[in-house]
Amino acid sequence: MKIIADQQIPHVAQAFSAFAEVTLCNGREITAEKIQHADVLLLRSVTVVDANLLEHSQVKFVASATSGLNHIDLDYLQGNDIGFAHAKGSNARSVAEYVLSSLFVLADQNDFKFKDKTVGVIGCGDVGSRVIELLETMGVKMIKNDPPLKYASGNGSGSSEKYRDLQELLSADIITLHVPLTSDGSYPTHNLLDMEFLSQLNDDVILINTARGGVINEVALKNHLACHENMKVVLDVWEDEPNIDLDLLTQSDIGTPHIAGYSADGKIHATEMIFGSVCEYFKLDHKWNPDFELPVTNSLELPLGSELDDQDAIQMAILASYDVRGDSASLRQLPGISIEQRGQYFDELRKNCPVRREFPATVFHLPEGRKTLAGKLKQLGFNVKTFS
């Protein structure tokens, strides 16, 4: 079996080499010529999979180590009897933790408490539901929007009533996007947030996009930001990646190079998922356990006499686990890079982003008396140990 794989999929050669010849490639340089004799393609979101890539190949199976699908022509795969799988939900916790890190940075900069905020979540699938779970731990009021889930749960039934119309999110203090990028179907999301939508938001709204760049009309967003200086924007995804809009980067409060889902835990989980999918499709009796060592766990201690309130203590834990400002500062260097090298610089930031672990890899040591705080930290996923 011959496999062409994106070199950015962690441990992919190690995982599949027991039963396949694995060739690693830059995902943006995977061409029809390179994959002509491959049996399997293992890809990420930077490679478009359609007739142009596959038409003259012998590829039998495609797997994407990502949650998103907008780079995959599923109709073509199905019509040509090519198997497919993706790592749906593999990085959901990672993205949700990115959202929390960003919000705690903004809370510190703008001096607000989460209990005073209402958060609108657009898209309540694997990632959105995890965001909701973590934010509800903070006592945040939530407004949930997901038309497909509302329809699936039955219009007018009690279960569907928890999903509100998009118009009802306009009053939210914070809006975070977790939808796939689609241009057709019953609920297209391309340019979902356009000038009309943006014009109805609160002047000081916080807008977070970790979904796909095309979900927001970037021209409309730039124009809106130009006359709404109190609005805060967190952008991890951009149209025309890796050649992103530098003006929009300058206007954003936090801007990162599409790395919200890039925890070490999430990436390894994605590799495990596509490994299992390939073995299942070809009926292979192989097992793989990653032979690697993740970085040691973080260890934090809240002093016995500390007067930090719960939000400040949680902020300390979250930002010690992952502080989004590091990745944002790196992307801020983009305007100083020559025009010819900017796309490569963006990709290099993704390729070489600092290793980060998810919350369960952080142990928080607390005085026995902080039981409420201990409960919240455990709900967020942290390991908690107490001392007297």
Side-chain angles (χ1 to χ4, degrees):
M1 180 183 295
K2 293 184 178 181
I3 294 178
I4 300 292
D6 188 315
Q7 63 193 15
Q8 293 307 305
I9 301 175
H11 304 276
V12 65
Q14 175 186 341
F16 289 89
S17 59
F19 59 84
E21 175 188 331
V22 182
T23 302
L24 302 181
C25 298
N26 182 317
R28 296 194 192 279
E29 297 174 0
I30 293 177
T31 62
E33 182 179 4
K34 287 184 178 180
I35 62 100
Q36 187 174 1
H37 301 294
D39 301 296
V40 175
L41 297 184
L42 306 176
L43 308 166
R44 293 188 57 81
S45 59
V46 299
T47 305
V48 176
V49 179
D50 57 11
N52 292 329
L53 182 68
L54 298 175
E55 190 169 14
H56 300 294
S57 76
Q58 61 183 32
V59 170
K60 305 174 185 67
F61 190 82
V62 174
S64 181
T66 63
S67 294
L69 293 172
N70 60 293
H71 59 299
I72 306 289
D73 186 338
L74 294 174
D75 291 336
Y76 179 84
L77 296 183
Q78 184 175 3
N80 288 273
D81 198 26
I82 298 172
F84 175 73
H86 66 131
K88 185 175 184 291
S90 60
N91 62 354
R93 168 168 278 278
S94 177
V95 176
E97 291 181 2
Y98 172 100
V99 171
L100 258 66
S101 179
S102 300
L103 286 175
F104 272 101
V105 167
L106 294 177
D108 183 55
Q109 293 174 349
N110 298 278
D111 192 27
F112 65 78
K113 299 293 185 183
F114 286 98
K115 62 182 178 62
D116 301 323
K117 298 296 181 182
T118 298
V119 178
V121 177
I122 302 177
C124 302
D126 292 304
V127 177
S129 60
R130 184 58 65 93
V131 170
I132 291 167
E133 175 189 337
L134 297 185
L135 285 174
E136 286 183 336
T137 298
M138 305 297 303
V140 177
K141 179 183 177 183
M142 311 296 300
I143 305 175
K144 307 165 190 176
N145 170 261
D146 195 309
L149 285 180
K150 182 175 182 177
Y151 179 81
S153 61
N155 289 319
S157 71
S159 59
S160 69
E161 291 174 3
K162 69 179 180 180
Y163 301 115
R164 317 309 300 179
D165 292 336
L166 196 60
Q167 199 71 14
E168 295 183 54
L169 272 77
L170 296 173
S171 62
D173 303 296
I174 300 164
I175 294 176
T176 180
L177 296 162
H178 304 288
V179 296
L181 179 61
T182 58
S183 299
D184 49 23
S186 301
Y187 309 105
T189 62
H190 183 253
N191 286 341
L192 181 66
L193 271 61
D194 55 14
M195 182 59 76
E196 180 181 0
F197 183 92
L198 294 170
S199 67
Q200 299 177 75
L201 298 176
N202 293 328
D203 286 344
D204 58 352
V205 69
I206 296 171
L207 178 62
I208 303 173
N209 189 12
T210 57
R212 286 292 186 267
V215 175
I216 301 177
N217 184 311
E218 291 191 351
V219 173
L221 181 58
K222 286 196 300 180
N223 292 336
H224 187 78
L225 288 170
C227 53
H228 292 81
E229 59 183 24
N230 291 327
M231 182 179 181
K232 308 298 180 186
V233 176
V234 178
L235 298 175
D236 179 59
V237 289
W238 315 78
E239 289 188 294
D240 302 322
E241 294 177 15
N243 301 303
I244 69 172
D245 189 315
L246 294 189
D247 291 333
L248 186 56
L249 172 62
T250 301
Q251 290 175 291
S252 65
D253 295 88
I254 295 172
T256 51
H258 202 152
I259 48 76
Y262 269 33
S263 68
D265 311 69
K267 289 193 285 187
I268 286 297
H269 186 37
T271 304
E272 291 179 308
M273 290 176 72
I274 63 172
F275 177 85
S277 297
V278 170
C279 290
E280 180 180 0
Y281 185 81
F282 289 100
K283 297 180 172 55
L284 303 173
D285 186 21
H286 286 274
K287 306 294 181 183
W288 176 65
N289 291 313
D291 183 20
F292 74 104
E293 293 185 7
L294 284 168
V296 296
T297 58
N298 297 320
S299 183
L300 302 173
E301 181 171 318
L302 188 68
L304 185 61
S306 172
E307 296 181 357
L308 282 176
D309 68 16
D310 286 0
Q311 176 166 315
D312 290 338
I314 291 171
Q315 174 179 302
M316 183 173 75
I318 287 174
L319 295 185
S321 177
Y322 173 58
D323 191 332
V324 69
R325 287 173 290 194
D327 287 320
S328 184
S330 296
L331 191 59
R332 295 284 180 203
Q333 304 302 313
L334 192 60
I337 307 298
S338 67
I339 295 175
E340 297 78 13
Q341 297 298 315
R342 286 174 185 165
Q344 180 180 347
Y345 179 77
F346 184 94
D347 281 341
E348 286 296 319
L349 289 180
R350 299 188 75 195
K351 178 181 178 181
N352 300 311
C353 66
V355 175
R356 89 169 139 110
R357 298 296 310 279
E358 294 176 356
F359 292 171
T362 296
V363 179
F364 207 116
H365 299 266
L366 290 176
E368 289 180 344
R370 300 297 297 268
K371 292 182 179 179
T372 301
L373 174 59
K376 290 180 179 179
L377 287 168
K378 288 178 180 178
Q379 284 182 289
L380 289 170
F382 291 100
N383 280 308
V384 178
K385 296 182 179 181
T386 58
F387 60 88
S388 57

